[in-house]
Amino acid sequence: MKPIYLAFALCLFAGLKTSPVLAEQQTDYAGYDRFDVRAAHRSMPIAASVWYPADTVIYKAPVGNNIIWKGTSAYIGAAIAPGKHPLVLLSHGSGGNMDGLGWLSSQLALRGAIVVALNHPGTTSGDSSPRRTPFIGERAADIRATLDQVLSNPSFAPYIDRQNISAIGFSLGGTTVLNLIGVRFDQTLFAQYCDRFGDAAQDCDFLRKGGVDLDHMPNDFDVPSRDDRIVRSIAIEPGMGFAATEQSLAAVTSPVLCIGLGEEEKWAAADFGPTGSNLVARIKNASSANFAPAHHLTFLDECQPNAAEILKEEGSDPICTDPPGTDRALIHRQIIDEISEYLVLDAKPS
């Protein structure tokens, strides 16, 4: 390259780096990348993703979008913003996946957190089996293995504040998070709950359809899985609350925020209030928040305009249909604000 063109290119590059327009664009999207987790308890690697504050502008692409879900755009593989950032571990619900919660992960990243999510084998999209669902201990082990790996990964570890690690879980992911802070689940208590509510208990109904013997759950259902590296947690509509043992609830020392959705259409499986498992009152460091109108599935990603009709034609679950008056996007923004305040993140508008 001739010197005059080289000088022009360098000036252009410097101008791009300091351009107010590009500086503003950098904050519009979080960075995103993926990695594999090697875990001794799994026969194959676990897929994991990481959302983080981006330091550079790179190509933008949609994550998790398809004919049903809107998905979330991100800068793929951008450099990570300098400094030490809070780490948030994210566990999806039964039948969900790590990218389906990108609406939450991206916004927490834009407020300063590094969010690491993963796909739990046996309970993720396209690989969700009733008979594999009760293996709560395996799910917790997935999180521990992911945490081990990201803390030793030279691409991410230097940017993580190891004293500020939190865990967030939705539905079965909420169960997983509770397990990680020391809550244990009892097979007998779960069977009694299923007998009491019958088919009105969504989790019990799902397990029965898979031929699971609710009186003889796998031993993995009630294994201890506490990880003291997690300093606070958020359980969103957590399942299995009726099966939590009093002794383990009394022993929880870290703070936990329970988030509920809806009032009149509250799912029995996820009701942690006085009309349900009453988890919040039974954990001394627990607090709660509730958002309505909404229901359990309102937590899922925003849907494409015709998604509800497509699902109805296919005879699928109405995952895009909310209670009357619900604004799913608004509920999401409220949840983002609540979680950001609880985790003491930057107050960036979502």
Side-chain angles (χ1 to χ4, degrees):
M1 181 180 290
K2 293 182 179 180
I4 188 170
Y5 295 123
L6 177 59
F8 175 76
L10 290 174
C11 290
L12 177 61
F13 178 72
L16 285 174
K17 287 195 70 177
T18 58
S19 165
V21 174
L22 285 180
E24 183 179 348
Q25 287 178 345
Q26 270 183 240
T27 63
D28 288 347
Y29 300 99
Y32 174 88
D33 215 329
R34 289 185 173 185
F35 61 96
D36 289 336
V37 175
R38 307 286 175 174
H41 66 287
R42 298 292 190 187
S43 60
M44 297 179 66
I46 300 169
S49 66
V50 55
W51 298 76
Y52 52 88
D55 188 47
T56 55
V57 174
I58 197 170
Y59 75 94
K60 182 184 71 175
V63 177
N65 73 314
N66 52 41
I67 194 172
I68 301 298
W69 308 113
K70 286 186 176 181
T72 307
S73 293
Y75 287 132
I76 309 299
I80 303 173
K84 297 285 188 179
H85 306 286
L87 177 65
V88 177
L89 304 164
L90 182 59
S91 179
H92 65 74
S94 176
N97 63 81
M98 60 187 184
D99 291 339
L101 299 180
W103 64 268
L104 174 61
S105 301
S106 64
Q107 288 297 319
L108 297 183
L110 287 172
R111 296 174 185 228
I114 293 177
V115 182
V116 174
L118 65 152
N119 286 343
H120 293 284
T123 58
T124 196
S125 301
D127 176 30
S128 183
S129 164
R131 62 181 55 84
R132 297 174 70 184
T133 296
F135 286 80
I136 306 301
E138 285 189 353
R139 274 181 142 256
D142 293 341
I143 298 289
R144 289 200 306 274
T146 301
L147 179 56
D148 289 342
Q149 186 154 320
V150 77
L151 290 179
S152 63
N153 189 318
S155 295
F156 305 113
Y159 301 95
I160 294 173
D161 180 355
R162 293 171 179 257
Q163 307 306 312
N164 194 354
I165 300 174
S166 305
I168 301 175
F170 167 61
S171 195
L172 187 59
T175 310
T176 305
V177 164
L178 291 175
N179 195 213
L180 284 165
I181 63 172
V183 177
R184 296 186 66 172
F185 302 96
D186 181 81
Q187 298 186 35
T188 300
L189 291 176
F190 186 73
Q192 291 172 351
Y193 150 72
C194 291
D195 288 340
R196 174 183 169 189
F197 284 90
D199 292 340
Q202 294 81 0
D203 45 1
C204 305
D205 182 53
F206 178 66
L207 295 177
R208 287 193 188 98
K209 289 177 178 177
V212 176
D213 184 351
L214 301 180
D215 292 317
H216 298 87
M217 301 281 271
N219 291 333
D220 189 81
F221 180 77
D222 57 10
V223 299
S225 300
R226 180 167 169 164
D227 192 321
D228 289 329
R229 293 174 294 182
I230 298 171
V231 298
R232 70 184 68 79
S233 58
I234 300 172
I236 303 160
E237 295 270 297
M240 311 290 185
F242 286 89
T245 67
E246 288 295 339
Q247 183 178 10
S248 68
L249 291 172
V252 172
T253 57
S254 62
V256 54
L257 169 66
C258 293
I259 293 180
L261 294 168
E263 295 168 346
E264 295 181 359
E265 298 189 34
K266 177 70 68 178
W267 280 26
D271 186 356
F272 53 74
T275 61
S277 63
N278 208 24
L279 275 179
V280 174
R282 296 159 67 197
I283 300 176
K284 58 185 175 183
N285 291 320
S287 57
S288 66
N290 192 73
F291 300 96
H295 65 179
H296 190 73
L297 300 176
T298 303
F299 188 78
L300 302 179
D301 194 9
E302 289 184 66
C303 298
Q304 299 284 8
N306 298 322
E309 289 76 12
I310 293 172
L311 292 167
K312 185 176 181 180
E313 291 176 1
E314 293 181 348
S316 300
D317 292 335
I319 53 179
C320 292
T321 304
D322 294 306
T326 300
D327 183 338
R328 187 174 289 200
L330 174 60
I331 294 294
H332 285 182
R333 290 195 297 271
Q334 293 172 338
I335 291 173
I336 290 164
D337 289 341
E338 181 75 25
I339 290 176
S340 297
E341 182 178 355
Y342 181 74
L343 298 182
V344 198
L345 301 179
D346 296 336
K348 178 181 174 61
S350 56

